């Protein structure tokens, strides 16, 4: 059975629409193909689908063969004929990759909302609004010599390449030694240095040089190859690493060419930095206090550019794609980091509106700052911990500045994703220890590796699953791979010496998962003791994000020290509605009575057992929901740093009103 149509998806089946199309196709048992210009590919393969390069207004045919072929064709044709299918307003409100509500990257660029003249729209990467003079930063592209080396030149070219790599590493080492570099920015520079030293990049480049390419061409090719590997994976954390690889490759090329990159030192006070792509290395060294906002063609909400911008309170809109070229000649720019809107040369009315919003935001921030050091309590005097959700050491500073009372969710996935190899026990122990020290004596809750077929990492082979969200992920994968899991548990035991470390398990649906984990923890502790390695015990808790965990909560509460409710996944599973499927997006609502009932059931079970009940989904930071959660018995709320002071204000007002 087949049916043809004209594709109306905005900008065609590029990355995110293709991913959604595939997920929709995978929901049917039938074999499904998409045909364009006589070429047919499986509609259940993202890579093959994107390589088909389906553009807006092109004709395609959907073929299906199976029991539900009619339903499959109707659903897929409906998606292809939806003009809004490629727009950002279709995207899920939270990222599917984690339960911390980290904003997901939007499509490359889409038109602004009606009424916003000269408007563009990209990824809302760092909240806040700004208006100011445009500072265009478009350094020239780097190109290789385009000639083949003679055999006798190859050895010397390899030496020249290695010297350039060493020079870049030394430059980054000097930056890391400077006191002027913030702790968060230092972590990003250190990650870039790791890439510069990685055998994957240097090995690929040397291989190209041995094949006769000049060093600059070899680096460009090697960086593009590795970046493509990152970009090809359907996970925005890994996609963001592609930008880092290109940035490091550029630095090596500049050394080889004997050139310096264009400096940002001359950027005026309050200017909006505009670039097609800016490396985290360059931005970290820029006069950040003078930058009013950042707009980039590349990058996403999880890129290092976004992290730097957020940690310094700089509004940012990234991922504009080719639309960034419209800003090259702009005189003034207004941007909204909350919605992703960018307005070129705004008119007087828009200037006045944005100036008013900037002033109002400044007043709100000033008012909320008073709550940074507040320790909120219930009317009965019970402490309510307002903690931060973070995914890397670079985010510590922003959490501390917001007044976080510890960390309610440390997502360890990024530690695994940002490296090209599985992180060692020592590397993990150092990371967790740094986290514990930074927030001591407040608790730091570390979530064990929550990774699955929907977000693979190097070093772990994942099966091809029809529905990764219901597959081999989280605690299920970890228990099946004790070689990986024990390394993380040993690192956590070692880090617990340095602070109040707590550990929670993701995707728990059976009590045996807790008991098996505890046995592994005991095994790791015995090994460390025998080896004479210092360690300390930690509280073990679970995330409540599956319906099974809710229903067995009373029994689970007898086995663990705390609950942490992950509202993003819990909502998805309770409502049986895929967060990536736009046709059921309205069902992904935490305020739905079914979801709120599940939260209340969990809280009652925890309170009855005398254990702490917290929440680490972004719903924890919603002022209109906080009173209900506290009334249910939650005593810990963890959220993005930007929401912390507002949450503290809400809790304080509740107490004052009692």
């Amino acid at each position: 059975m087949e049916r043809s149509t004209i594709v109306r998806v905005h900008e065609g089946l590029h990355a995110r629409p293709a991913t959604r199309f595939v997920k929709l196709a995978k929901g049917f048992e039938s074999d499904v193909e998409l045909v364009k210009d006589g070429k047919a590919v499986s509609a259940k393969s993202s890579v093959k689908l994107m390589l088909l390069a389906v553009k807006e207004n092109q004709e395609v045919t959907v073929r299906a063969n199976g029991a539900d072929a009619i339903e499959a064709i109707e659903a897929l044709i409906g998606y292809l004929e939806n003009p809004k299918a490629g727009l950002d307003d279709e995207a899920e409100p939270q990222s599917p990759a984690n339960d911390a509500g980290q904003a997901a990257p939007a499509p490359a660029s889409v038109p602004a909302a009606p009424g916003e003249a000269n408007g563009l729209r990209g990824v809302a990467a760092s909240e806040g609004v700004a208006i100011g003079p445009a500072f265009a930063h478009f350094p020239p592209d780097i190109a290789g010599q385009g000639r083949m080396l003679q055999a006798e030149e190859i050895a010397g070219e390899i030496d020249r390449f290695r010297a350039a790599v060493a020079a870049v590493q030394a430059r980054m080492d000097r930056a890391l030694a400077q006191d002027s570099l913030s702790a968060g920015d230092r972590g990003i520079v250190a990650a870039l240095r790791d890439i510069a030293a990685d055998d994957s990049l240097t090995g690929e480049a040397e291989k190209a040089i041995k094949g006769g390419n000049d060093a600059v061409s070899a680096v460009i090719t090697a960086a593009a190859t590795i970046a493509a590997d990152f970009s090809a994976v359907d996970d925005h954390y890994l996609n963001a690493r592609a930008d880092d690889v290109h940035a490091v490759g550029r630095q090596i090329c500049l050394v080889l060419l004997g050139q310096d990159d264009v400096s940002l030192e001359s950027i005026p006070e309050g200017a909006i930095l505009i670039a097609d792509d800016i490396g985290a290395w360059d931005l970290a060294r820029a006069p950040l206090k003078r930058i009013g906002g950042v707009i980039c063609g590349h990058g996403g909400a999880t890129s290092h550019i976004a992290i730097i911008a957020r940690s310094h309170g700089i509004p940012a809109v990234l991922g504009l794609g080719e639309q960034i070229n419209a800003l090259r000649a702009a005189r003034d720019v207004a941007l909204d980091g909350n919605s992703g809107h960018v307005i070129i040369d705004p008119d007087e009315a828009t200037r006045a509106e944005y100036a008013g919003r900037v002033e109002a935001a400044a007043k709100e921030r000033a008012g909320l700052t008073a709550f940074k050091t507040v320790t909120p309590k219930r009317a009965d005097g019970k402490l309510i911990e307002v903690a931060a959700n973070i995914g890397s050491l670079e985010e510590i500073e922003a959490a501390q500045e917001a007044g976080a009372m510890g960390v309610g969710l440390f997502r360890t996935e990024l530690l695994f994703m940002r490296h090209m190899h599985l992180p060692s026990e020592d590397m993990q122990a150092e990371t967790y220890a740094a986290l514990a020290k930074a927030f001591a004596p407040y608790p730091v809750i570390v979530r064990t590796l929550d990774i699955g077929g929907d977000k693979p990492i190097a070093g772990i082979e994942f099966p091809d699953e029809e529905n990764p969200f219901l597959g081999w992920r989280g605690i299920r994968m970890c228990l099946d791979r004790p070689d990986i899991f024990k390394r993380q548990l040993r690192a956590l035991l070692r880090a617990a010496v340095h602070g109040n470390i707590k550990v929670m398990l993701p995707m728990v649906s059976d009590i045996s998962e807790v008991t098996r984990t505890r046995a592994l923890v005991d095994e790791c502790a015995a090994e460390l003791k025998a080896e004479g390695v210092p360690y300390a015990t930690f509280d073990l808790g679970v995330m409540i994000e599956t319906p099974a965990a809710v229903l067995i909560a009373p029994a689970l509460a007898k086995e663990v020290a705390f609950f942490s409710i992950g509202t993003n996944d819990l909502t998805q599973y309770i409502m049986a509605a895929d967060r990536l499927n736009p046709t059921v997006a309205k069902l992904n609502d935490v305020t739905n009575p079914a979801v709120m009932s599940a939260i209340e059931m969990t809280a009652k079970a925890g309170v009855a057992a005398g254990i702490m009940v917290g929440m680490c989904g972004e719903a924890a930071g919603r002022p209109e929901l906080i009173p209900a959660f506290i009334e249910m018995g939650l005593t810990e709320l963890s959220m993005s740093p930007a929401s912390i002071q507002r949450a503290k204000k809400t809790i304080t007002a509740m107490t004052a009103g009692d």
Side-chain angles (χ1 to χ4, degrees), residues 127 310 368 398-399 402 618 639-647:
E127 70 173 23
R310 286 196 294 268
L368 289 175
E618 277 303 293
M639 61 204 70
S640 294
S643 302
I644 287 174
Q645 292 174 10
R646 192 175 294 112

Side-chain angles (χ1 to χ4, degrees), residues 16 23 92 94-99 102 104 236 454-455 469 473 569 572 579-580:
R16 290 191 70 81
K23 287 186 177 294
E92 64 278 9
Q94 275 103 21
S95 159
N98 60 68
D99 210 59
Q102 177 71 45
H236 54 269
D454 63 312
K455 43 180 177 175
F469 287 109
R473 60 171 295 198
D569 268 338
Q572 175 176 239
R579 288 182 299 184
L580 295 181

Side-chain angles (χ1 to χ4, degrees), residues 6 26 50-51 102 194 289 363-364 397 544 568 628:
I6 300 298
K26 286 184 175 181
M50 284 187 282
L51 289 176
Q102 177 71 45
D194 286 346
K289 292 186 183 300
K363 287 181 179 178
E364 181 185 18
E397 190 172 17
I544 303 294
N568 303 343

Side-chain angles (χ1 to χ4, degrees), residues 387-408:
N389 293 334
I390 63 177
S392 67
L393 298 183
E394 294 94 310
E395 298 173 72
I396 288 176
E397 190 172 17
Q400 291 175 327
E401 283 300 309
M405 301 162 66
V407 174

Side-chain angles (χ1 to χ4, degrees), residues 414-496:
L414 188 54
L415 179 60
F416 284 72
M417 288 177 169
R418 75 192 318 172
H419 297 286
M420 298 176 189
H421 308 286
L422 289 173
S424 66
E425 178 184 320
D426 287 344
M427 178 184 291
Q428 291 189 63
E430 290 173 6
T431 301
Y432 307 145
L435 191 68
K437 291 175 184 177
F439 289 97
Y442 287 124
V444 168
I445 301 178
V446 178
R447 179 174 68 187
T448 57
L449 185 58
D450 186 14
I451 207 120
D454 63 312
K455 43 180 177 175
I457 58 175
I460 304 178
E461 288 292 330
F462 287 90
D464 184 16
E465 299 177 307
E466 287 294 321
N467 191 335
F469 287 109
L470 299 180
W472 197 56
R473 60 171 295 198
I475 191 61
R476 302 167 182 177
M477 185 280 293
C478 286
L479 287 171
D480 285 346
R481 289 295 304 271
D483 55 319
I484 296 171
F485 197 22
K486 283 184 62 178
R487 185 184 302 173
Q488 183 171 44
L489 294 175
R490 282 171 58 97
L492 288 164
L493 286 164
R494 290 167 57 183

